[in-house]
Amino acid sequence: MIQTLSQVFSLAGSETRLKLLYLLEQEESLCVCDLSDVLQMTMPAVSQHLRKLKDANIIQSKKVGQTVFYSLKQEHQEVIKPLLELISREIEIKTN
């Protein structure tokens, strides 16, 4: 558990990867094209960040036709969810 938490925090230290984790938690499954639109980044840039998260075994991918969808791995939900809930509360405060 501590190793997983350390790994998540290490990778979530990047603002972009933290945003990716947040978006994947909110929407459950997204493709690179959707993520690049939301983040206003190029698809190759988003793909690089996704690769780091996937290599660390934090997210998983599923190919449907030509499109690859990414989602959080179930075993990391309990570690990541409290962190992402803090972000959600911060967003709510800023929008109210």
Side-chain angles (χ1 to χ4, degrees), residues 2-94:
I2 291 175
Q3 182 181 7
T4 301
L5 187 58
S6 174
Q7 191 174 31
V8 168
F9 281 141
S10 174
L11 288 167
S14 159
E15 183 178 341
T16 299
R17 286 191 292 275
L18 188 56
K19 287 177 182 178
L20 287 169
L21 291 172
Y22 175 78
L23 291 168
L24 291 174
E25 195 272 331
Q26 292 293 305
E27 299 297 325
E28 295 183 22
S29 178
L30 291 166
C31 65
V32 174
C33 55
D34 291 337
L35 290 165
S36 68
D37 286 346
V38 172
L39 296 174
Q40 297 180 351
M41 295 175 63
T42 65
M43 287 194 295
V46 171
S47 292
Q48 284 183 328
H49 287 287
L50 289 169
R51 177 178 312 238
K52 288 183 180 187
L53 293 169
K54 189 174 178 193
D55 288 348
N57 209 27
I58 295 171
I59 64 171
Q60 60 193 3
S61 62
K62 179 181 180 182
K63 192 169 185 175
V64 179
Q66 297 284 333
T67 307
V68 178
F69 290 90
Y70 293 88
S71 59
L72 292 175
K73 291 194 90 168
Q74 191 65 34
E75 59 264 25
H76 296 298
Q77 291 281 343
E78 74 178 62
V79 172
I80 296 171
K81 195 155 183 87
L83 175 65
L84 299 178
E85 285 174 356
L86 288 171
I87 295 169
S88 291
R89 279 186 256 158
E90 183 69 23
I91 290 170
E92 285 178 26
I93 290 169
K94 286 184 178 182

